[in-house]
């Protein structure tokens, strides 16, 4: 089985802060670093570290050769990762404070994926393969339709959540991967109560598989009336960036191969508990051997 991850790549500019900047305020950071990131790239690295055969499709600028080298270093194939001559690679400005973060995204070349690139990407994929997408690139509707046409299974991590998601052909998705905020949006729930959200998701997406992460309250796998819960592990978080991406990559790698959702939740919980104890995005994702 091959995984085609059609996803974003960002230079993450990470500022360590004493507090998050607020309106009308100018403050200095107490630390700075630039890392490889983007939900797409992070999830490709997580999948590859978990042992999957991963192709990363996407778009960087002429400044983005480092991303290709980085992905190749972790055995992610980059045949469908192209360089855009007119647009710089996407970037994120990330403030980190007491283990929490807030992120500003600039899409750059991630938002230049067009119909031609989508058409050129899918030749090598078909039934038995998985398409994974997040919500940080353009042409999402075309990508979902093309994957469906090819008979691929489709996993959609709806992060970052916005109203555009409801313009995509969500009926083509097999597996949704959401956190509690995204789940509330996807379920169109007025209540933030997790049981209420789960019940709405079960009604609205009865034929889908849903992976729901709720931070310190653990994670759920939901399929119709079946609900499996796994507790979170108690660790001291240094930087939560890419925790969700790690969870997504390790859950899918385990679930796609073994079909056991409980085992997949356990592995993904351990992997993301390690990620939050390190700084940065992709660089904090553990190897399978470290988790074991
Ligand atoms: O999920 C973490 C990622 O979100 C960061 O690496 C940043 O680039 C944003 O895409």
């Amino acid at each position: 089985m091959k995984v085609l991850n059609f996803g974003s790549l960002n230079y993450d500019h990470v500022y360590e802060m004493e507090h998050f900047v607020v309106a009308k305020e100018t403050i200095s950071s107490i630390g700075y670093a630039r890392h490889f990131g983007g939900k797409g790239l992070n999830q490709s690295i997580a999948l590859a570290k978990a042992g999957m055969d991963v192709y990363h499709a996407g778009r960087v600028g002429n400044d983005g050769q480092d991303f290709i080298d980085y992905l190749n270093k972790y055995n992610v194939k980059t045949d469908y990762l192209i360089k855009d001559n007119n647009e710089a690679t996407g970037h994120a400005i990330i403030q980190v404070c007491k283990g929490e973060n807030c992120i500003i995204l600039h899409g750059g070349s991630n938002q230049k994926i067009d119909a031609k690139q989508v058409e050129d990407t899918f030749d090598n994929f078909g039934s038995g393969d998985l398409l994974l997408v997040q919500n940080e690139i353009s042409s999402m509707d075309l990508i979902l339709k093309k994957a469906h046409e090819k008979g691929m299974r489709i996993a959609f991590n709806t992060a970052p959540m916005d109203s555009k998601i409801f313009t995509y052909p969500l009926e083509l998705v097999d597996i949704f991967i959401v956190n509690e905020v995204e789940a509330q949006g996807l379920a169109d729930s007025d209540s933030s109560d997790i049981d209420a959200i789960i019940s709405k998701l079960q009604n609205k997406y009865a034929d889908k598989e849903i992976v729901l992460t709720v931070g310190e309250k653990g994670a759920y796998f939901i399929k119709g009336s079946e609900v499996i819960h796994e507790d979170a592990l108690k660790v001291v978080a240094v930087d939560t960036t890419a925790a969700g991406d790690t969870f997504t990559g390790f859950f899918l790698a385990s679930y796609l191969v073994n079909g056991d959702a409980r085992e997949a939740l356990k592995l993904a919980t351990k992997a993301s508990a390690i990620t939050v104890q390190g700084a940065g995005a992709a660089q904090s994702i553990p190897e399978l051997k470290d988790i074991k």
Side-chain angles (χ1 to χ4, degrees), residues 81-234:
L81 177 51
I82 64 177
K83 281 191 188 159
D84 190 310
N85 289 324
N86 302 311
E87 191 71 46
T89 303
H91 71 264
I93 293 175
I94 305 181
Q95 296 180 58
V96 176
C97 177
K98 301 183 184 87
E100 297 289 343
N101 66 37
C102 40
I103 302 181
I104 299 174
L105 276 181
H106 177 73
S109 51
N110 295 308
Q111 292 297 329
K112 296 291 172 187
I113 290 165
D114 55 15
K116 178 170 181 342
Q117 184 174 355
V118 175
E119 199 52 45
D120 292 346
T121 297
F122 281 82
D123 280 359
N124 185 27
F125 302 93
S127 66
D129 296 329
L130 178 93
L131 171 81
L132 170 63
V133 277
Q134 310 76 32
N135 191 30
E136 283 188 345
I137 58 171
S138 53
S139 296
M140 284 289 295
D141 48 348
L142 296 180
I143 293 168
L144 293 171
K145 283 179 193 156
K146 191 73 196 176
H148 180 69
E149 202 180 295
K150 299 288 284 185
M152 296 172 76
R153 201 166 170 189
I154 299 176
F156 183 16
N157 169 217
T158 63
M161 185 77 186
D162 61 23
S163 56
K164 265 198 312 206
I165 279 179
F166 295 104
T167 67
Y168 306 154
L170 297 181
E171 68 281 5
L172 306 183
V173 173
D174 300 290
I175 309 172
F176 285 108
I177 303 162
V178 288
N179 66 17
E180 53 202 311
V181 175
E182 292 144 14
Q184 188 176 354
L186 193 66
D188 195 18
S189 169
D190 296 331
S191 164
S192 59
D193 175 71
I194 208 67
D195 293 327
I197 292 172
I198 290 175
S199 152
K200 277 222 158 194
L201 288 173
Q202 285 172 310
N203 284 332
K204 222 173 156 194
Y205 303 97
D207 59 336
K208 310 290 182 200
E209 295 171 304
I210 301 169
V211 180
L212 165 60
T213 58
V214 278
E216 289 167 1
K217 294 191 204 103
Y220 295 85
F221 174 82
I222 304 151
K223 187 177 183 182
S225 58
E226 180 190 4
V227 179
I228 301 173
H229 177 254
E230 176 68 20
D231 284 335
L233 294 171
K234 287 194 175 33

Side-chain angles (χ1 to χ4, degrees), residues 11-17 29-37 92-97 100-103 238-239 241 279-281 283:
Y11 279 117
D12 284 355
H13 297 273
V14 183
Y15 302 87
E16 196 187 336
M17 308 298 290
S29 67
I30 49 177
Y32 167 79
R34 193 180 80 158
H35 301 298
F36 294 110
I93 293 175
I94 305 181
Q95 296 180 58
V96 176
C97 177
E100 297 289 343
N101 66 37
C102 40
I103 302 181
V238 171
D239 178 359
T241 312
Q283 67 177 34

Side-chain angles (χ1 to χ4, degrees), residues 39-53:
K39 293 187 193 306
L41 173 125
N42 298 338
Q43 293 179 21
S44 280
I45 295 290
L47 281 159
K49 286 187 171 179
M52 297 302 283
D53 182 16

Side-chain angles (χ1 to χ4, degrees), residues 257-277:
V257 173
N258 303 317
D260 184 333
R262 190 177 295 281
E263 279 310 306
L265 287 178
K266 279 187 199 301
L267 180 73
T269 297
K270 287 180 192 164
S272 51
I274 296 175
T275 294
V276 301
Q277 293 177 76

